[in-house]
Amino acid sequence: MTDERTIAIRPGALDDAATVLRLLDAATAWLVAQGRTGQWGTEAATTDPRRIAQAHEWAAGDGLYLAMRGDTAVGALVVGAATAYVPPATEPELYVNLLVTDRAHAGHGIGARLLTYAAQLARERGLGLLRVDCYGGDDRALVRFYEGCGFTATDPFTVERPGRAPWPGQVLQRRLT
């Protein structure tokens, strides 16, 4: 579990795109080492022009938050509007567009802490629904992680990718009181 005193969450800034890319690269390398290439593939985010542009867009927006342990970013959260490939919500919501943590700090509850922060942001905005999508393939371990954080699986979906295998996704939601 996270020691609340050692993890602070701060808003992202323009120069945090490199931090997001570093976190994505480390997570991708960890997934590849585990033989779990279906989620993010095998290539580093820092070599993918689409991911680089996405990280810069997140850093320039107002939905990026970083989990900090001292001066080191150990996780990133991006919240905003739902992505186009998921079924739309039937009510106002806050959507988790990215959750990534530093695998060197795995097991410290950083992801759960960031999701709690996202729920807090949604409540502050008067929203009663927090949604996220994730990779729903293989053994669905990521789906189970989100379920363990209070989310309920709702809509499965598939993203067709020209020249590559389809990407199985799962939307999850968490009702906020």
Side-chain angles (χ1 to χ4, degrees):
M1 264 336 230
T2 301
D3 179 350
E4 298 290 329
R5 296 168 298 180
T6 63
I7 300 293
I9 298 177
R10 70 161 175 84
L14 281 174
D15 60 349
D16 288 323
T19 298
V20 171
L21 291 167
R22 174 186 59 81
L23 290 166
L24 287 169
D25 280 356
T28 300
W30 179 83
L31 287 165
V32 168
Q34 302 296 310
R36 304 173 72 87
T37 59
Q39 182 174 337
W40 284 339
T42 59
E43 300 302 315
T46 50
T47 65
D48 181 345
R50 183 187 66 84
R51 281 298 218 180
I52 294 167
Q54 191 176 47
H56 284 279
E57 181 181 317
W58 287 331
D62 63 356
L64 172 61
Y65 298 89
L66 297 177
M68 305 296 295
R69 179 168 275 154
D71 292 334
T72 303
V74 294
L77 167 74
V78 177
V79 295
T83 52
Y85 54 80
V86 301
T90 58
E91 65 188 85
E93 69 174 340
L94 186 62
Y95 203 86
V96 175
N97 301 108
L98 174 73
L99 178 69
V100 62
T101 61
D102 186 336
R103 299 311 307 164
H105 298 271
H108 293 276
I110 296 163
R113 170 85 165 88
L114 285 166
L115 289 171
T116 298
Y117 190 77
Q120 175 185 330
L121 290 171
R123 285 186 196 99
E124 289 172 0
R125 297 173 188 185
L127 302 170
L129 181 63
L130 181 64
R131 289 196 315 156
V132 64
D133 70 82
C134 70
Y135 180 65
D138 298 329
D139 62 3
R140 295 178 59 87
L142 194 50
V143 173
R144 285 193 308 279
F145 164 76
Y146 284 110
E147 289 173 335
C149 292
F151 287 79
T152 301
T154 58
D155 302 297
F157 64 94
T158 302
V159 176
E160 297 298 332
R161 305 180 303 174
R164 301 187 332 196
W167 191 85
Q170 177 68 59
V171 177
L172 299 100
Q173 71 179 23
R174 181 174 166 197
R175 292 260 167 223
L176 306 172
T177 54

